[in-house]
Amino acid sequence: MSAHTAQTQLKLIGKLILSGDLHCETGLHIGAGKGSLEIGGADNPVVKDAFGLPYIPGSSLRGKIRSLLENAWGLTTPAELVYLSKRRGQEVRIHQSDRADDEICLLFGRSPGRVERVEGEAVETRSASPARLTIYDSPLDQDSITAQMRENLDDEITEVKSENAVDRITSQANPRTLERVPAGARFRVRLVVDILCEEDKVLPAKVLEGLRLLEDDALGGGGSRGSGRVRFSNLKMTWRNRAFYSDGGEETELAAGPNLAEVQAATKNGSLAEKLG
């Protein structure tokens, strides 16, 4: 548990930056939420930027990490969940509490106000908690889509996966198509953790835990049907203290490695927290 209390004073100590690559081990589908279909296009297109290139929204990566950590820490029981949206058939339930040491709320932020619990009395959050974790949109590394891959793709950069839903009574197939970024694609990721007090120095290790969980889970849609397996590589962890911003001081590379396991080793036994000064 965190050592934060209601009296903890917040003042920027520095920013921890984690950058690297995200590799698609299987096809990746993060939907665009498109309201209309193009003739000959997939039923479910992937999200693309203004140049027509797929990317991973920071909100998708952030939301998945939050969900995985909530499950791992036992925070998805009805008493720990609140309604973000209660529209019938479209309920959205997330973890939130008013506890000063709640690490989910510290990492992802908390706004004051009344929220309704899934089970139990409503929560009146009395104070705001600024989000420590920022995850930016991850652009596609176009060089990762090789000429050999392009020869076998349905589009210049993406593939179309066909699926069937089979009626259990009539055995009638209901075909659908899913646009995916192909296996082998690579995206550039960047995460920033704000360290606003001494107690925050335990939080970067929690972010790395979430990333390790993601490697054995799935990102985006269709995860239970084979899509969305990813891994992280070429990682670098950099520390920029207050002097970096106020006086043009030097940044410090705290860890670097080809995979998460090597970078995570820098957080063991509190060694990372000691370097954040």
Side-chain angles (χ1 to χ4, degrees):
M1 294 295 292
S2 165
H4 289 77
T5 69
Q7 287 71 46
T8 299
Q9 298 295 311
L10 304 183
K11 183 179 181 181
L12 181 67
I13 297 175
K15 292 176 179 282
L16 185 69
I17 300 166
L18 181 65
S19 59
D21 296 328
L22 180 151
H23 294 258
C24 295
E25 298 285 276
T26 63
L28 173 68
H29 173 81
I30 298 179
K34 200 169 183 180
S36 60
L37 300 178
E38 297 177 1
I39 297 175
D43 298 335
N44 298 291
V46 297
V47 63
K48 299 182 179 74
D49 62 20
F51 299 98
L53 298 174
Y55 71 99
I56 299 175
S59 57
S60 296
L61 189 53
R62 193 174 187 270
K64 185 64 180 185
I65 292 171
R66 176 172 184 158
S67 175
L68 290 170
L69 289 175
E70 288 175 357
N71 277 293
W73 298 345
L75 299 175
T76 55
T77 61
E80 290 285 353
L81 296 175
V82 302
Y83 284 106
L84 189 63
S85 169
K86 204 178 178 183
R87 181 183 296 181
R88 188 175 180 85
Q90 299 181 15
E91 295 90 351
V92 178
R93 289 157 287 210
I94 66 170
H95 167 73
Q96 184 171 311
S97 78
D98 199 32
R99 298 188 294 268
D101 61 353
D102 189 320
E103 291 176 341
I104 288 292
C105 293
L106 292 170
L107 273 172
F108 298 96
R110 168 176 46 199
S111 299
R114 184 181 177 86
V115 287
E116 186 174 347
R117 289 182 189 269
V118 173
E119 181 181 282
E121 297 182 359
V123 180
E124 187 69 38
T125 306
R126 292 177 292 275
S127 60
S129 295
R132 273 60 162 186
L133 177 62
T134 300
I135 302 181
Y136 295 91
D137 292 348
S138 300
L140 174 70
D141 183 349
Q142 295 186 62
D143 291 339
S144 66
I145 309 296
T146 65
Q148 182 181 6
M149 292 168 64
R150 292 177 192 270
E151 291 179 1
N152 299 295
L153 294 176
D154 300 282
D155 198 353
E156 184 181 358
I157 293 178
T158 60
E159 64 185 7
V160 176
K161 181 187 179 187
S162 297
E163 299 179 342
N164 274 313
V166 179
D167 186 279
R168 300 312 193 259
I169 305 300
T170 67
S171 296
Q172 180 177 351
N174 180 25
R176 58 177 182 261
T177 55
L178 192 74
E179 186 180 26
R180 305 195 307 179
V181 178
R186 184 171 62 246
F187 295 85
R188 297 187 296 274
V189 297
R190 180 181 173 90
L191 300 83
V192 178
V193 182
D194 289 349
I195 305 299
L196 303 180
C197 56
E198 291 295 321
E199 293 85 348
D200 280 351
K201 292 181 178 181
V202 301
L203 297 179
K206 310 300 182 182
V207 175
L208 291 176
E209 179 185 348
L211 295 175
R212 290 294 299 271
L213 288 166
L214 178 56
E215 288 190 328
D216 281 335
D217 205 274
L219 179 63
S224 63
R225 303 190 300 276
S227 298
R229 184 183 173 195
V230 301
R231 65 178 173 86
F232 296 92
S233 70
N234 302 322
L235 296 163
K236 183 171 73 170
M237 184 181 289
T238 304
W239 172 244
R240 294 175 175 174
N241 61 17
R242 278 284 290 118
F244 175 89
Y245 299 100
S246 62
D247 304 322
E250 297 292 327
E251 65 181 21
T252 305
E253 183 177 302
L254 301 183
N259 54 52
L260 273 170
E262 292 197 14
V263 173
Q264 194 179 36
T267 72
K268 291 182 178 179
N269 303 319
S271 60
L272 177 60
E274 294 174 0
K275 299 175 184 177
L276 304 181

